Amino acid sequence: MRGIRYLVVWAAVVASVHGRPTAGAEPHKPARLLVVSVTVGFRHASIGTAESVLEELGRSTGLFHCDHLRMPPGRLPQPKPPKRTPDVSDEEWKAQEAGFKQAQEKFRRDDEAWQKLLAAEFAKVFSAAALRDFDGVIFLSTTGELPVPDLGAFLDWIKSGKSFIGFHAATDTFKSSDAYCDMIGGHFAGHPWGSGGEHAFVVHEPGHRVTAMFPERFRWKDEIYQYDLRYKPENLRVLVSLDMQASTPQEPWHVPVAWVRDYGKGRVFATNFGHNEATWREPMFQKHMAEGIAWAVGRFDAPSAPNPEVQAAEYLRSVVAAAAAATQADADALRGKVDAKIAKDPTWAVGLRPMLLEIRGRKREERAAAYAQVIAAIEKP
């Protein structure tokens, strides 16, 4: 993949996982994981490749076995909204809009049978009896309000000691549920860092097994999500973040990319990587994925306690990057002062978080006063 300097060969992926003893399962028995790739909203084109890669990874490492819950066949394509061109008159546009509305209503009627089939599949697979057969679940770029019959019971199942692994758009699922958002860590709120761009990342713990395959700073071509204000840094141990100073656009907030957390007796591993098909074929990502799954299913222990101080520090660095770009201030000098204060008092940046969060709700042209306030806090002796 363009921009990555240190590649890990596939043999290292296998060697790093296979043969290591399991903390909570039989050493040589693969974990049984339910892989859900159903989408009610946007569907990523990389899902088919991702399913194949997961199958191969499970087989070659002996780490896990996949059972799939896929989209039932037979769904009719949804009508596409019309796009108005300059040569379309008001009368013609009105007729096109009316036709689209009729097509939508017809689709909803025709889609009812498929939706019932989908709900029946979820009712069967997510029943208490069926879930007992699984060690964990993978949400593979799922989107929308999936018809899980009892979401609370499912979350309690994870808390009981199971594993949840979320790839990319798993955070664009169950937007209406604060409880699901709390479990996975955050909910999708846009992706200014698009799939065609090469973005910069920082690894907060280069020695952590889930991220040890990455250079401490690297560039990667993929689509990166930001998360809404339900995100709670006190719940998560963030291992990789967007390096805002070296990315475009520069936005004044923290963008976590990969994290782990304990959830009751269960374990959650989530990574935002995985939009692009090429990502799934990348050995470094496959290693990241294998180690994250291995940790989630209890094959080894690694630090998972929340690190809000680390996240607050990265949040402040992001604000500094955006503020410097907007005000022509010296970004390196400001960042040096930030890092010096954090080294002296790791909790200092945490205390600034309420001030930083206020910037999130302001339009770009309305941030100047807030930037000045942050810079003053940094400059304060």
Side-chain angles (χ1 to χ4, degrees):
M1 185 175 295
R2 184 166 63 90
I4 296 177
R5 301 291 182 262
Y6 307 99
L7 297 182
V8 182
V9 297
W10 175 253
V13 178
V14 177
S16 69
V17 179
H18 190 64
R20 289 187 175 175
T22 306
E26 297 177 33
H28 302 292
K29 183 179 180 182
R32 187 178 178 191
L33 300 178
L34 172 64
V35 180
V36 182
S37 56
V38 174
T39 52
V40 178
F42 180 83
R43 186 166 184 83
H44 285 79
S46 60
I47 287 176
T49 297
E51 289 175 334
S52 298
V53 169
L54 279 169
E55 287 276 3
E56 175 59 27
L57 185 64
R59 283 193 299 266
S60 61
T61 62
L63 174 61
F64 59 91
H65 169 77
C66 295
D67 288 75
H68 291 273
L69 177 55
R70 297 184 169 100
M71 298 278 279
R75 191 182 195 190
L76 297 173
Q78 297 190 45
K80 294 182 179 180
K83 293 183 178 180
R84 186 170 186 174
T85 56
D87 60 326
V88 174
S89 68
D90 290 345
E91 185 176 346
E92 290 171 330
W93 179 243
K94 186 176 180 181
Q96 289 181 20
E97 288 186 312
F100 174 64
K101 185 177 180 180
Q102 290 177 356
Q104 279 186 309
E105 292 173 353
K106 184 178 186 304
F107 171 78
R108 280 193 288 269
R109 292 193 300 270
D110 294 342
D111 197 47
E112 287 180 2
W114 186 88
Q115 291 289 349
K116 288 179 181 178
L117 176 62
L118 180 66
E121 288 294 312
F122 268 83
K124 180 172 61 177
V125 176
F126 277 83
S127 68
L131 285 176
R132 279 196 292 268
D133 293 334
F134 294 105
D135 300 296
V137 65
I138 295 175
F139 273 22
L140 179 54
S141 281
T142 52
T143 55
E145 302 292 320
L146 303 178
V148 172
D150 188 338
L151 183 57
F154 171 55
L155 297 177
D156 287 342
W157 174 80
I158 300 170
K159 287 180 180 178
S160 73
K162 303 296 183 176
S163 58
F164 179 91
I165 299 104
F167 289 114
H168 194 53
T171 54
D172 192 18
T173 307
F174 292 119
K175 185 175 184 177
S176 66
S177 173
D178 290 342
Y180 176 85
C181 182
D182 179 79
M183 180 277 294
I184 197 172
H187 195 279
F188 168 81
H191 49 78
W193 305 275
S195 60
E198 187 179 86
H199 315 297
F201 303 93
V202 55
V203 177
H204 300 300
E205 295 183 57
H208 197 290
R209 271 187 58 176
V210 175
T211 50
M213 68 294 302
F214 295 127
E216 188 170 350
R217 294 185 184 275
F218 65 100
R219 301 189 69 82
W220 200 324
K221 189 175 182 180
D222 209 351
E223 180 183 87
I224 303 302
Y225 288 176
Q226 60 191 15
Y227 302 99
D228 67 18
L229 294 178
R230 287 178 289 181
Y231 177 86
K232 297 178 181 178
E234 65 271 18
N235 286 349
L236 312 176
R237 190 178 193 92
V238 174
L239 303 176
V240 181
S241 295
L242 189 75
D243 184 352
M244 195 65 73
Q245 187 168 352
S247 296
T248 303
Q250 291 177 329
E251 296 288 4
W253 44 78
H254 176 220
V255 180
V257 176
W259 59 84
V260 294
R261 69 163 301 182
D262 295 319
Y263 187 64
K265 296 178 181 179
R267 290 180 172 185
V268 174
F269 161 60
T271 182
N272 181 221
F273 295 128
H275 174 92
N276 291 351
E277 185 176 349
T279 300
W280 290 92
R281 302 188 187 281
E282 167 57 51
M284 190 183 295
F285 177 67
Q286 292 174 356
K287 170 108 172 148
H288 171 55
M289 177 170 57
E291 294 286 34
I293 293 173
W295 174 82
V297 300
R299 290 293 176 97
F300 64 87
D301 292 325
S304 56
N307 57 356
E309 295 87 0
V310 170
Q311 297 176 60
E314 199 60 37
Y315 202 135
L316 184 55
R317 293 185 188 108
S318 296
V319 172
V320 164
T327 63
Q328 283 71 56
D330 188 331
D332 291 334
L334 284 174
R335 182 162 177 156
K337 292 178 181 179
V338 165
D339 290 344
K341 286 197 169 188
I342 290 171
K344 189 174 181 180
D345 179 9
T347 65
W348 171 69
V350 177
L352 296 181
R353 182 174 171 82
M355 179 197 306
L356 305 182
L357 284 172
E358 287 183 10
I359 303 174
R360 184 76 183 261
R362 299 189 181 189
K363 296 179 180 179
R364 191 177 297 272
E365 62 272 16
E366 298 172 350
R367 294 172 183 169
Y371 286 153
Q373 187 180 12
V374 172
I375 292 172
I378 295 170
E379 299 281 5
K380 186 178 179 180

